[in-house]
Amino acid sequence: MCLADAEYRRFQTLHDKRKELVDCIPRLRRFALALAGNQPDADDLVQSAVEKALRNLGGFQNGTRMDSWLFKITQNLWIDSRRSHKRRGGQTTLNDAMHIAGEDGRKLVEERAMIEHTRAAIASLPEEQRLAVAYVLVEGQSYKDAAHNLGVPVGTVMSRLSRARKALAAQVLG
């Protein structure tokens, strides 16, 4: 094998990894939004995670799941950020939402208020419950995959989700 062939294969592998990373970004944005609770902080989190992943792409192991790797990077960045300082994210109030124009303004305002109320409820969950919700309910991962990503047994994920669902139902549905 000549040097050019090896270099081409290395380039192609790196290109494939970058493409796979880019394909994961929409799901990563949903995951980050579930963690951060608001779009600006979620966008910052995704940007930091993608930047870190691109810097460390050479360390990504073939045969492992790119999405799990990215979610773990995002989770770790979010935890680090929460530990280093408490962020104050802007919450949309019903009064702010009243300025939305549309065919059925009342319905749109009610829907957006419900979404914001639900996001606030998720944001108020303890960290371990919020991560379980983000992995399983938002991203649709299996309990097994979520347990692997969180480094806990499957039963722990199930109990965290049960407590989170009860808390969310009480806050959102009354």
Side-chain angles (χ1 to χ4, degrees), residues 13-91:
T13 301
L14 192 57
H15 176 5
D16 292 346
K17 287 178 184 179
R18 285 183 181 148
K19 182 178 180 339
E20 190 176 355
L21 187 148
V22 168
D23 291 344
C24 292
I25 289 176
R27 291 183 55 219
L28 189 64
R29 290 188 76 216
R30 285 192 308 267
F31 180 71
L33 181 58
L35 295 178
N38 64 71
Q39 197 64 56
D41 289 343
D43 289 343
D44 290 346
L45 187 56
V46 169
Q47 180 177 346
S48 296
V50 169
E51 181 182 339
K52 185 171 187 175
L54 286 171
R55 272 196 321 267
N56 297 302
L57 201 54
F60 175 74
Q61 298 297 317
N62 290 331
T64 59
R65 291 180 48 174
M66 177 67 74
D67 60 347
S68 292
W69 185 62
L70 286 169
F71 291 157
K72 191 66 173 176
I73 290 171
T74 304
Q75 173 188 330
N76 289 339
L77 288 169
W78 177 71
I79 289 170
D80 290 347
S81 136
R82 289 207 41 190
R83 285 182 182 154
S84 66
H85 49 67
K86 293 184 180 185
R87 292 180 173 208
R88 290 187 296 160
Q91 296 292 324

Side-chain angles (χ1 to χ4, degrees), residues 140-160:
Q141 288 190 359
S142 68
Y143 290 161
K144 181 181 176 184
D145 288 343
H148 173 76
N149 289 335
L150 294 168
V152 298
V154 172
T156 302
V157 170
M158 294 170 69
S159 65
R160 288 177 182 176

